[in-house]
Amino acid sequence: MNNSVFVQVAHKQYGPFTKSELKNLVSKGQFKKKDLVWDDDEGEWIEAAKYDQLKSLFAAHTPEPAEKTIFAIGGGKGGVGKTVITSSLGVGLSAMGYEVVLIDADFGGANLHISMGMLEPEYTFLDYYTMQRETLSDIMLDTPIENLKLISGACGTVGLANPKYSQKLRFINELKMINADFVLLDLGAGSSYSVIDFFLAVDQGIIVASPEPTSIQESFDFLKVCLLRKLYRTFKKRPDILTALSLDGIDNLSQLTLPVDDLVSKLNTIDKDAGAILETVLEEFKPKLILNMVVEPEDIKEGLALKAAAAELLSIDIEYLGYIEYDREIGKSVRELRPFILHNPKSKASKSLSKLITIKLLNKQGFSSLRTKIRLKKGIRDASQTYSPKTVRDNDTICSVKCFYWDDCEFRNGGFPCTVRQLDPLFKT
Ligand SMILES: Nc1ncnc2c1ncn2[C@@H]1O[C@H](COP(=O)(O)OP(=O)(O)O)[C@@H](O)[C@H]1O
Ligand SMILES: [Mg+2]
């Protein structure tokens, strides 16, 4: 199915909805076989049960084809560990034999390739956006790890930080076609619509936050923007509802009435169907949370406080996946261009991440969790023996204060190879 579809229920239009959102609506009897779906290819409304990609929603006991899981790792602040967690998560999952694709969707400050020890990726998003390479699989690269592929971001490329809507759509549609067990999307910092749209386009969004108040606040704001974007998209074709909810000025976050529960009650008094749809949208949105850089047990409360605030004020149920300690081994692993789970599988951070992978992401409990843990340990040991990051070469441009661009550069990375590959020739003159 295209990423999501518009539907018509009792002559009113809603959406776009993902298949999983529609499944939920079907199970509650709010969306039925005879309701209409907009068929983009044919340019007409057709009955839901006749729309090929939705037929399975109405067929009793038809198992859904196994689908890959796409995680988007984002959430507010920069520097909280999104990239290091993405690369180690990818290594962990691939070490267990899963096919994994990492995607660097931090268009403003791509560096996932560096954390994988790949200093000069052969292809990047730049090749895809400029249509030099047509599909995502054309820019997919092998990494030093078996079963783990990488789609590298294009660093320092003006204009890519905010891709056009059509570019985003093309990317999101193709993302769903990737053949793998897991796809992990490393998102940029902040709450720009680019980041939010990617976070919302996938089924499983993971927020990484540190226990610092600024990070917790930014994660809360990130969720608020996500919700606003969701509400706006759901009722885009119903200006009467947007007005009633005071959501016309989408850019003004303060216009979102809190608690969101009040919005639901208000909508229920105006239009019961729309109210039910809003409730479904809220139920379906279940972001996950990883608390990173935890120093002391007290810090964990910050993650729980974020969960409580999101439930109370935004009516969003965050699934807390767990925490990762502040661990100097991570800093060392970054300098050695090795994902931290490989660099030192016995470090506190690696152990916490391994636990999170087995228990939370793969949902293994009891004996089965023990077996999975052993498989993961062995896989990481094997991967660690074969992993060899490309070392810094003599002719690599090393980032330093002597660089002409130092004062203005967003990608300063002193002492390490310059990530702004497009500037190379200028450096060398
Ligand atoms: N748990 C941790 N303990 C210690 N240092 C960490 C931890 N997580 C991340 N870091 C450090 O923070 C830096 C920024 O992490 P990064 O993943 O690049 O952040 P983001 O992608 O969110 O901007 C890394 O270079 C790493 O040294
Ligand atoms: Mg990053």
Side-chain angles (χ1 to χ4, degrees):
M1 180 167 101
N2 272 345
N3 168 30
S4 41
V5 287
F6 286 99
V7 302
Q8 244 187 59
V9 179
H11 303 292
K12 287 180 189 153
Q13 187 175 324
Y14 302 98
F17 292 114
T18 61
K19 195 169 176 181
S20 135
E21 283 166 341
L22 284 177
K23 197 172 167 188
N24 194 337
L25 288 169
V26 170
S27 70
K28 290 181 181 165
Q30 286 159 354
F31 183 67
K32 303 200 175 73
K33 277 182 186 181
K34 298 264 174 200
D35 290 326
L36 301 179
V37 178
W38 179 252
D39 182 339
D40 233 5
D41 294 332
E42 298 300 324
E44 61 179 353
W45 291 100
I46 62 168
E47 278 181 25
K50 293 186 181 154
Y51 191 64
D52 275 351
Q53 288 109 323
L54 292 184
K55 276 181 184 161
S56 63
L57 291 188
F58 302 98
H61 311 302
T62 310
E64 288 271 275
E67 280 181 7
K68 66 177 160 293
T69 311
I70 308 180
F71 290 112
I73 293 110
K77 221 163 170 286
V80 292
K82 293 183 288 296
T83 300
V84 293
I85 289 177
T86 306
S87 55
S88 279
L89 264 183
V91 170
L93 290 167
S94 61
M96 298 186 64
Y98 293 106
E99 298 280 340
V100 184
V101 177
L102 300 179
I103 302 187
D104 195 341
D106 184 349
F107 299 117
N111 59 0
L112 190 58
H113 58 289
I114 298 186
S115 79
M116 291 303 307
M118 297 162 71
L119 297 182
E120 295 209 20
E122 198 179 348
Y123 299 111
T124 71
F125 262 113
L126 189 62
D127 303 294
Y128 176 74
Y129 278 123
T130 52
M131 304 298 277
Q132 307 281 339
R133 300 260 121 194
E134 277 175 25
T135 65
L136 284 182
S137 53
D138 290 339
I139 56 166
M140 204 179 277
L141 306 171
D142 287 331
T143 69
I145 308 273
E146 210 184 326
N147 301 333
L148 184 62
K149 300 245 186 323
L150 170 76
I151 293 182
S152 173
C155 5
T157 314
V158 184
L160 264 196
N162 278 309
K164 283 194 215 117
Y165 184 66
S166 59
Q167 288 173 320
K168 269 190 283 184
L169 219 56
R170 175 176 158 230
F171 169 64
I172 289 170
N173 284 337
E174 266 198 56
L175 192 64
K176 317 242 161 171
M177 314 292 283
I178 291 178
N179 203 355
D181 298 310
F182 291 95
V183 175
L184 310 182
L185 217 59
D186 179 18
L187 297 180
S191 310
S192 69
Y193 286 145
S194 277
V195 175
I196 300 286
D197 285 344
F198 291 136
F199 192 83
L200 295 179
V202 306
D203 289 331
Q204 315 243 17
I206 302 180
I207 290 180
V208 177
S210 75
E212 282 172 24
T214 47
S215 167
I216 297 293
Q217 181 65 46
E218 282 202 41
S219 299
F220 183 81
D221 289 344
F222 178 84
L223 286 175
K224 206 164 145 186
V225 184
C226 282
L227 195 57
L228 193 62
R229 188 79 164 157
K230 253 182 177 299
L231 294 179
Y232 177 73
R233 285 198 327 208
T234 305
F235 298 113
K236 201 164 146 190
K237 301 283 155 85
R238 295 287 312 272
D240 54 325
I241 289 182
L242 289 179
T243 309
L245 298 179
S246 314
L247 290 175
D248 323 62
I250 176 111
D251 287 326
N252 192 347
L253 254 191
S254 60
Q255 278 185 296
L256 186 63
T257 313
L258 296 181
V260 168
D261 230 12
D262 289 353
L263 278 185
V264 179
S265 315
K266 190 171 171 189
L267 197 51
N268 271 326
T269 59
I270 303 169
D271 182 330
K272 265 207 155 332
D273 287 340
I277 283 175
L278 175 55
E279 281 176 34
T280 306
V281 166
L282 290 171
E283 271 170 36
E284 276 286 311
F285 184 42
K286 288 204 184 91
K288 300 174 189 307
L289 171 69
I290 296 179
L291 196 63
N292 187 28
M293 306 197 191
V294 164
V295 176
E296 48 195 10
E298 282 288 294
D299 288 346
I300 298 164
K301 287 191 188 147
E302 298 302 325
L304 299 176
L306 177 62
K307 182 175 160 70
E312 198 174 313
L313 297 171
L314 304 176
S315 300
I316 292 175
D317 182 18
I318 295 183
E319 186 192 350
Y320 178 54
L321 294 182
Y323 65 88
I324 295 173
E325 294 83 350
Y326 181 88
D327 189 334
R328 296 171 76 99
E329 288 296 304
I330 294 191
K332 285 189 207 159
S333 75
V334 171
R335 282 189 291 281
E336 290 193 11
L337 315 178
R338 292 168 85 91
F340 69 83
I341 204 167
L342 268 191
H343 169 76
N344 182 354
K346 292 191 176 140
S347 69
K348 270 197 219 155
S350 298
K351 282 187 178 160
S352 298
L353 187 70
S354 303
K355 191 162 126 196
L356 192 150
I357 293 175
T358 41
I359 297 176
K360 295 293 185 170
L361 296 189
L362 301 175
N363 224 350
K364 306 285 183 192
Q365 313 283 345
F367 269 136
S368 133
S369 107
L370 204 64
R371 268 204 313 272
T372 313
K373 245 192 198 150
I374 293 169
R375 227 172 91 210
L376 176 63
K377 231 174 162 173
K378 183 178 175 317
I380 287 177
R381 206 170 48 224
D382 293 349
S384 166
Q385 277 161 9
T386 51
Y387 182 88
S388 69
K390 297 220 168 83
T391 44
V392 179
R393 297 170 329 186
D394 287 349
N395 62 348
D396 274 329
T397 308
I398 302 298
C399 171
S400 87
V401 284
K402 291 186 190 147
C403 172
F404 177 76
Y405 296 100
W406 177 266
D407 285 335
D408 302 318
C409 186
E410 285 176 53
F411 310 103
R412 276 199 308 229
N413 199 10
F416 293 95
C418 169
T419 54
V420 192
R421 294 192 310 133
Q422 285 72 21
L423 294 181
D424 264 356
L426 286 174
F427 275 110
K428 284 173 184 158
T429 53

